[in-house]
Amino acid sequence: MSNEKQLDVRFVSVEAGITALGFRRIAAIARKLNPQTKIYFIPVDNLYSLLTHIFPFRKSKFNSKDVESISAELQDANLICFSSMSASSGYIKKIIISLKKRKSKAFILWGGVHCTLYPDDAIKHADAICLGEGEISFEQFFQAFKSGKDYS
């Protein structure tokens, strides 16, 4: 049996759909590094559907009950990695606020387009952010984080 420390890692994509190609690449790397990594897709709106533009009332109603349900699921993790575009950043902020109210000890890493375009906004909410493509930097961060070394 290995004495290697296993972390409870959660990857969460909050987007209008579930394509999230960049997120999927990083999540695959995370699973390679930590096979128990859990991956979540939270499609909050369907911005790509013509029907939501013709019938705006059909948009999803992502509400405080959803935020609480998501934060309850995530709260016991050691590391939570969010990914979003700017249009979905408000949802992540609400989830992070809920996690903090629950006194979650999870380290929160946020990546995706929003962080690259608006790093000053994203870092106000997360413990760390990932700018640009994160395949190499995430692996370096994760190895240092897991071993308790300086990951900055």
Side-chain angles (χ1 to χ4, degrees):
M1 183 171 208
S2 173
N3 288 337
E4 189 171 294
K5 179 181 174 185
Q6 290 298 310
L7 295 178
D8 184 348
V9 179
R10 317 280 177 99
F11 265 66
V12 184
S13 173
V14 180
E15 293 295 336
I18 62 168
T19 305
L21 297 176
F23 172 79
R24 288 175 183 272
R25 289 174 58 132
I26 301 293
I29 291 168
R31 277 240 173 111
K32 180 181 168 196
L33 298 169
N34 192 68
Q36 295 78 25
T37 297
K38 294 179 183 172
I39 299 170
Y40 302 84
F41 290 91
I42 302 171
V44 290
D45 290 317
N46 191 355
L47 297 177
Y48 304 117
S49 169
L50 179 60
L51 290 177
T52 59
H53 295 288
I54 296 171
F55 305 107
F57 59 87
R58 289 187 60 155
K59 286 187 177 181
S60 69
K61 305 278 192 269
F62 188 85
N63 58 39
S64 59
K65 194 175 184 180
D66 297 319
V67 169
E68 291 307 312
S69 177
I70 292 164
S71 63
E73 171 68 21
L74 300 174
Q75 73 181 3
D76 294 326
N78 301 113
L79 174 63
I80 303 171
C81 301
F82 288 104
S83 176
S84 77
M85 294 181 153
S86 293
S88 301
S89 65
Y91 300 118
I92 290 181
K93 292 173 189 177
K94 288 177 182 177
I95 295 167
I96 292 171
I97 289 167
S98 179
L99 285 164
K100 289 179 181 179
K101 284 181 183 173
R102 290 173 173 273
K103 305 216 184 307
S104 172
K105 294 184 182 353
F107 186 92
I108 297 174
L109 176 62
W110 187 1
V113 175
H114 182 71
C115 296
T116 299
L117 294 176
Y118 302 102
D120 291 340
D121 176 59
I123 196 62
K124 289 177 189 173
H125 307 280
D127 297 309
I129 59 173
C130 180
L131 306 177
E133 300 301 319
E135 287 90 340
I136 295 170
S137 58
F138 176 76
E139 186 168 355
Q140 293 170 345
F141 161 80
F142 184 77
Q143 296 297 1
F145 181 82
K146 184 176 179 178
S147 64
K149 294 181 181 170
D150 180 15
Y151 47 78
S152 60

